[in-house]
């Protein structure tokens, strides 16, 4: 083939590729959720995807593939065709923490995924049973120092955002507080309400109603700003602990090598969905704050979270398998 013919063939391939990208999506899109139905990741995905469908003109199917702390879903999406029709609803600690909490992981958060968009962040609150003689986060730390190993704290599971975050808090403030992991926030909350565990670190929707009813005492919200769900509860920074921020995020990822124009089209659909007042109201009710990040911004967030959390996990020797 001479140079002219090769050039013509290349231009033809480019034209076909450009046309295919312009027509994306031509069939339904699948979003894989790494947890069972009803959790915060599932709720957020099901609130946002219908609004994305309107923008894209195609159905978005949500598939729950729970198991192995998100690894089953992540591995499935990492191995899918990089064409934009298969996405992962990624959860922050699964995405950045699993690579050091699991041995011989089959996927890598940077190598195997293309960031699409961040959807929401969900802050956590530190609360205690009313029998615990503390009213502030400072008093909690002082009590823990004077009673090493006596205080317990419950979380939704080993390797979860509240677990890893609290381990960092313990390391920073040199306190001994015993972790009590549960299979989900529900049973963790119930044991704290019963007084079997002294304290809990959980997302706001899991505990807000009990705090308002006086069945739990909130010490601080681990976020940059106060929450509209608990406007009277100070942030950790206001309570004297700047930098103690535990905001789990949910974001969409595509398989690596998905064409950038497809990524950009999907990301724009997320951005539009998060501007829909009905979507915002539903997310607020679920305790999730809309927090759109572009593909490039999400990539930077993943890198920053890997640098922040992986050393904590190693230092605390947190293992899941």
């Amino acid at each position: 083939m001479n140079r002219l013919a090769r050039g013509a063939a290349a231009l033809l391939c480019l034209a076909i590729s450009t046309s295919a990208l312009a027509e994306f999506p031509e069939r339904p899109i699948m979003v894989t959720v790494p947890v069972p139905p009803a959790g915060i990741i599932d709720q957020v995905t099901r609130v946002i995807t219908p609004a994305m469908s309107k923008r894209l003109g195609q159905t978005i199917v949500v598939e729950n593939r729970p198991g192995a702390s998100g690894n089953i879903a992540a591995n499935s999406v990492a191995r899918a065709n990089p064409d934009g029709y298969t996405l992962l609803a990624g959860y922050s600690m699964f995405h950045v923490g699993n690579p050091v909490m699991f041995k011989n992981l089959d996927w890598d958060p940077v190598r195997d995924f293309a960031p699409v968009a961040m959807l929401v962040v969900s802050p956590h609150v530190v609360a205690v049973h009313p029998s615990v003689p503390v009213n502030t986060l400072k008093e909690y730390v002082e009590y823990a120092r004077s009673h090493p190993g006596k205080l317990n704290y419950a979380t939704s599971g080993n390797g979860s955002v509240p677990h890893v975050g609290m381990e960092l808090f313990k390391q920073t403030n040199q306190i001994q507080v015993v972790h009590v992991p549960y299979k989900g926030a529900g049973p963790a909350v119930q044991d704290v309400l019963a007084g079997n565990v002294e304290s809990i670190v959980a997302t706001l929707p899991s505990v807000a109603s009990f705090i308002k009813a006086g069945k739990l005492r909130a010490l601080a919200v681990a976020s940059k700003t106060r929450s509209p769900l608990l406007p009277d509860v100070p942030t950790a920074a206001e309570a004297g602990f700047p930098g103690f921020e535990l905001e789990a995020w949910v974001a969409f990822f595509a398989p690596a090598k998905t064409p950038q124009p497809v990524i950009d089209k999907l990301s724009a659909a997320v951005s539009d969905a998060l501007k829909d007042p009905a979507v915002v109201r539903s997310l607020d009710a679920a305790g999730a704050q809309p927090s759109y990040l572009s593909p490039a911004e999400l990539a930077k967030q993943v890198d920053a979270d890997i640098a922040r959390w992986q050393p904590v996990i190693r230092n605390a020797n947190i293992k899941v398998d």
Side-chain angles (χ1 to χ4, degrees):
M1 184 182 292
N2 61 34
R3 184 181 302 173
L4 184 60
R6 286 197 299 270
L11 287 173
L12 178 61
C13 289
L14 178 61
I16 293 171
S17 174
T18 302
S19 175
L21 292 175
E23 293 170 2
F24 175 86
E26 297 180 291
R27 63 180 190 272
I29 296 167
M30 175 80 73
V31 177
T32 301
V33 174
V35 295
I40 188 70
I41 308 171
D42 182 73
Q43 290 180 51
V44 166
T45 301
R46 292 181 188 277
V47 166
I48 291 175
T49 49
M52 290 177 62
S53 293
K54 292 180 182 179
R55 161 73 184 250
L56 295 170
Q58 279 290 347
T59 301
I60 299 180
V61 179
V62 177
E63 176 194 44
N64 296 87
R65 296 198 67 180
S69 296
N71 290 329
I72 292 174
N75 191 52
S76 171
V77 175
R79 304 293 175 259
N81 289 331
D83 54 13
Y85 289 99
T86 305
L87 303 178
L88 174 70
Y91 164 68
S92 49
M93 199 51 69
F94 287 167
H95 208 72
V96 305
N98 281 12
V100 290
M101 287 189 279
F102 286 84
K103 295 179 182 177
N104 304 317
L105 207 63
D106 292 331
W107 58 272
D108 180 87
V110 175
R111 180 194 65 219
D112 294 326
F113 291 97
V116 174
M118 184 181 285
L119 283 58
V120 300
V121 295
S122 183
H124 291 73
V125 62
V126 181
V128 297
H129 186 270
S131 64
V132 181
V134 302
N135 293 292
T136 67
L137 195 56
K138 275 192 175 181
E139 290 178 357
Y140 183 88
V141 170
E142 291 167 0
Y143 187 86
R145 284 176 179 161
S146 60
H147 300 81
K150 181 177 179 180
L151 280 177
N152 297 329
Y153 76 97
T155 73
S156 56
N158 201 31
S160 61
V161 167
H163 177 204
V164 177
M166 195 62 174
E167 290 302 313
L168 176 60
F169 188 75
K170 287 165 56 179
Q171 292 171 19
T172 303
N173 294 284
Q174 298 180 327
I175 57 174
Q176 296 178 33
V177 184
V178 181
H179 178 226
V180 184
Y182 290 81
K183 292 184 177 180
V189 172
Q190 290 305 312
D191 251 13
V192 179
L193 290 172
N196 297 325
V197 181
E198 290 84 8
S199 58
I200 188 168
V201 185
T203 56
L204 276 72
S206 303
V207 294
S209 62
F210 301 111
I211 290 169
K212 292 175 182 177
K215 295 180 180 180
L216 293 174
R217 183 184 301 128
L219 304 182
V221 176
S223 63
K224 295 180 179 67
T225 59
R226 293 195 181 199
S227 167
L229 285 179
L230 297 171
D232 296 329
V233 178
T235 66
E238 290 173 331
F241 298 89
F244 181 42
E245 296 172 5
L246 301 182
E247 293 183 325
W249 49 253
V250 180
F252 284 165
F253 295 88
K257 299 182 181 179
T258 299
Q260 192 60 45
V262 170
I263 295 289
D264 292 340
K265 205 166 191 176
L266 290 165
S267 191
V270 172
S271 179
D272 278 2
L274 291 175
K275 295 172 185 173
D276 185 325
V279 169
V280 173
R281 285 193 298 270
S282 295
L283 293 174
D284 285 343
Q289 301 171 358
S291 184
Y292 171 78
L293 291 183
S294 69
E297 291 168 334
L298 177 54
K300 290 181 180 179
Q301 183 68 53
V302 170
D303 288 342
D305 283 354
I306 287 173
R308 181 188 186 193
W309 293 119
Q310 288 193 358
V312 176
I313 294 167
R314 290 191 182 97
N315 289 340
N317 196 31
I318 298 173
K319 301 293 182 183
V320 178
D321 60 343

